[in-house]
Amino acid sequence: QAVVGFSSADLEKPLTARSRVIFRRDESDKLVYEFQFSAIDGETLNAVFRRRTAARVKPPEVVGVTVRTGYDDASAGTSSVLNDVSLTGLSISLGSQGETLLHDKERLLLSFKLPGQDKPIELVGIVRYRRMAGTMIRYGIEYDPKGTRDYSSQEERLASYMVKRKIESVQQTLGTRAA
């Protein structure tokens, strides 16, 4: 048994994970270990280190996202709130009732209308992480271009919105400096 510690400027506090050494190699100037992490700690490490690297934007107002299990899902869907969006994925938050319905789903159909756009965006997404954020559950979702109908059109509208938000953000920053 071993406890491995991780620290980084991006982490609020150091993170430790339980593991066991599965391989050790002696090199001339160092020892090299391979670890196998416990299931729960491995999941936590995966969530911490597999973060999106694409630029994200946050909508200036609340954007509701309807979540279904697929195009053939005729239910009213589960309500959630958009946290941020990028060209490769998005983050949503939902309450415990929504989590009860979606906790075992890996693929979701997301439908939402971005501010200033007439038509809703509908994307299929793959759940990459779920984690508690206060009283809500935050989902990190990567888009599935192959599973999404008319993906290129959806992607174009996302890109247009992101450019608009980036420009607004820069203008707001410049306006704040001038004041």
Side-chain angles (χ1 to χ4, degrees), residues 169-179:
S169 179
V170 168
Q171 288 173 337
Q172 187 177 19
T173 302
L174 293 175
T176 303
R177 287 186 186 165

Side-chain angles (χ1 to χ4, degrees), residues 1-145:
Q1 292 290 330
V3 175
V4 179
F6 297 88
S7 62
S8 159
D10 293 334
L11 295 173
E12 285 180 26
K13 59 182 181 178
L15 173 71
T16 59
R18 293 164 295 188
S19 66
R20 63 185 183 98
V21 176
I22 57 172
F23 181 76
R24 176 186 154 175
R25 183 176 65 239
D26 295 341
E27 295 184 0
S28 61
D29 59 337
K30 62 185 169 189
L31 298 174
V32 177
Y33 292 90
E34 285 185 27
F35 299 97
Q36 180 177 31
F37 294 99
S38 71
I40 197 148
D41 288 354
E43 213 173 290
T44 301
L45 290 171
N46 197 23
V48 167
F49 292 109
R50 287 194 62 199
R51 295 187 165 230
R52 249 187 304 158
T53 56
R56 306 170 192 204
V57 297
K58 294 176 188 268
E61 56 198 63
V62 175
V63 173
V65 179
T66 301
V67 183
R68 292 185 180 82
T69 58
Y71 285 105
D72 58 349
D73 183 349
S75 72
T78 301
S79 295
S80 66
V81 176
L82 182 67
N83 297 317
D84 61 60
V85 62
S86 76
L87 286 177
T88 59
L90 55 77
S91 169
I92 59 172
S93 290
L94 52 94
S96 58
Q97 286 183 316
E99 172 65 1
T100 302
L101 297 170
L102 302 174
H103 74 279
D104 61 343
K105 307 294 187 262
E106 294 303 317
R107 295 171 53 83
L108 303 171
L109 176 64
L110 309 152
S111 180
F112 55 97
K113 191 172 168 186
L114 291 169
Q117 294 193 358
D118 299 331
K119 202 170 138 188
I121 292 177
E122 262 194 11
L123 297 158
V124 172
I126 301 163
V127 177
R128 293 299 179 202
Y129 73 81
R130 292 173 173 88
R131 80 172 57 108
M132 289 295 298
T135 60
M136 304 291 277
I137 293 87
R138 181 175 284 233
Y139 278 59
I141 300 170
E142 179 183 356
Y143 307 138
D144 178 4

